[in-house]
Amino acid sequence: MVQSLDYLKETPSQTAGPYVHIGLAPGAAGFDIYRQELGHDIAGPNASGTRINISGTVTDGFGAPVKDVLIEVWQANAQGIYAGDGAVEEGFRGWGRVVPDFETGLFSFDTVKPGIVMGREGRAMAPHLNLWLIARGINIGLNTRMYFPDEVEANAVDPVLGLIEQPIRRETLIATADDAGCRFDIRLQGDRETVFLDV
Amino acid sequence: MSKPELFQRDREWHPRALTPDYKTSVSRSPNYPLLSLQSSDSEITGPTFGHGDIDPIDNDLLRNYAKTGDPIGERIIVHGRVLDENGRPVRNTLVEVWHANAGGRYRHKKDTYLAPIDPNFGGCGRTLTDDEGYYIFRTVKPGAYPWRNWVNNWRPAHIHFSVFGTAFAQRLITQMYFEGDPLIPHCPILKAIPDARAIERLIAPLDLNATVPLDSIAYKFDIVLRGQRSTFFENRPEGN
């Protein structure tokens, strides 16, 4: 016999269900309860850098919009610094919650474009947003990233995009430019399925 | 700068994305395997919250939406600790909960179950863990409710939990169930978890030591987030 390893096991995940908004965005569920809901302002009023709007839809295997999804965003500031990991602008949290329109499934949020973040072994990661998707029918939250269409050179050497074997699949993580900023559609399954990450 | 990596998430312990008996998962589960990443700053950093973000009443679901009196239902305390896989307390982390009222009805514009809304019950709460990783909520015990999966599916009484930790890759949402609920073995959402020991981890035991005599019954629910390795990675080029 050997000694037993005394690590604890992570609590297993369960779906957030259709009524996730009650807990994480009660205003979207239809009522006011807190003095302030969290996650409405990703960048805060003092953030430097380029202000952008990002919109899109999350679709299922049939191409139908997932209207009850909730997306969390985690990003660095324009200098590539994450809040808590160095000096950032006052009021910059770099985190937010995004709920689409319940009728159309279209989401839209405003933030600042993040800078290049230093990755492992000194390899620069192209500017990106880290996204986490939860919804009814999603048993464990799905992680992905959104990269920017105007960062062709940085995207070409990004160590995470570079791990994706098929070039056509890399494109699922790169937004397209539109009038307001960026369009980013996330496909949970099927044709041009978004690359999801085991982080 | 050196950063701690996270323990790899045990994907065989969690529910798989595709669990056909939970029908909605069929069209919402990726077909392709996840792309596995080693930790970088993007994964091992995460948002933090402070006492300025929330109010003390936010963890008291008996009072945080009360208009004319207390909500109807069995008064309960739900409490426990948030630890990591090394057994260390996760301090000052945001814990959010939401659940149906005592009749099994959610306060949500999309819920049409015939059980009534309780005018004094919102159904959500939030708090920060203390220095020992401890949290506590006061609420009413939620009711079971029917849902459209098979014709006759009933969710066991449950409370949804959202927990942050210190790294965005520790982010976790789960559900807490109650000891002794006869619906537990019949729930396709719970049975999406392949390992019976993992299912047990979601069932909170009655905790008589924490009940408030003549007032509230208590259940204890400990939560474990991914652990941090004691090895570090470098994010600077060699020689710098």
Side-chain angles (χ1 to χ4, degrees), chain A residues 9-10 14 72 82 137 189, chain B residues 10 13 22 29 42 171 177:
Chain A
K9 290 288 282 184
E10 188 185 10
Q14 290 271 266
E72 288 194 1
Y82 284 100
Q189 183 190 88
Chain B
D10 183 353
W13 176 255
Y22 175 25
S29 46
S42 295
R171 196 77 181 80
Y177 303 88

Side-chain angles (χ1 to χ4, degrees), chain B residues 107-123:
Chain B
R107 183 176 288 280
H108 191 290
K109 57 172 95 166
K110 294 288 184 185
D111 188 5
T112 56
Y113 180 38
L114 52 80
I117 289 282
D118 184 330
N120 293 309
F121 186 70

